[in-house]
Amino acid sequence: MLKGCQKQMIVLRGTGSEIFDEAYFILKSNEKDRRGGGRCYSAEENAAMLFEANRILEENRFSRPSRPAGYYALRYTLFFTAGVLLGAAFILLTLAIS
């Protein structure tokens, strides 16, 4: 357990990542912060830190490569057409045999 030490931390929950649910970012402090106690961050600095944390999460996210919009429509159309042609071929073959 650390006593007399204050750390600034950003906690991100529900990251949407396939790897991790929560991310903890512990901020570095400079020499002035160590001598004078904790540091208060401005709204702009907080926004910049959150932007950087989200950027790091995005860089480390595993995702499947996205397929073009018409990929599945074309695929299912080809399967349907092949099924219709095979069905017609079996019907013609059955009629030719009998």
Side-chain angles (χ1 to χ4, degrees), residues 7-26:
K7 290 284 186 181
Q8 296 289 331
M9 182 168 42
I10 296 175
V11 179
L12 296 177
R13 292 185 175 93
T15 61
S17 172
E18 296 174 0
I19 303 171
F20 44 97
D21 293 325
E22 295 182 0
Y24 297 90
F25 294 92
I26 300 172

Side-chain angles (χ1 to χ4, degrees), residues 40-56:
C40 293
Y41 293 96
S42 68
E44 292 84 19
E45 289 174 320
N46 282 333
M49 287 185 279
L50 285 173
F51 179 79
E52 180 68 11
N54 283 315
R55 185 191 64 78
I56 291 169

Side-chain angles (χ1 to χ4, degrees), residues 49-80:
M49 287 185 279
L50 285 173
F51 179 79
E52 180 68 11
N54 283 315
R55 185 191 64 78
I56 291 169
L57 288 176
E58 285 297 320
E59 284 180 358
N60 294 299
R61 179 175 292 188
F62 285 144
S63 63
R64 296 178 186 162
S66 62
R67 305 219 181 205
Y71 173 78
Y72 291 106
L74 177 64
R75 182 177 171 184
Y76 294 137
T77 303
L78 289 175
F79 284 143
F80 175 76

Side-chain angles (χ1 to χ4, degrees), residues 83-98:
V84 169
L85 291 176
L86 280 173
F90 281 126
I91 290 172
L92 291 176
L93 182 65
T94 304
L95 291 174
I97 290 176
S98 57

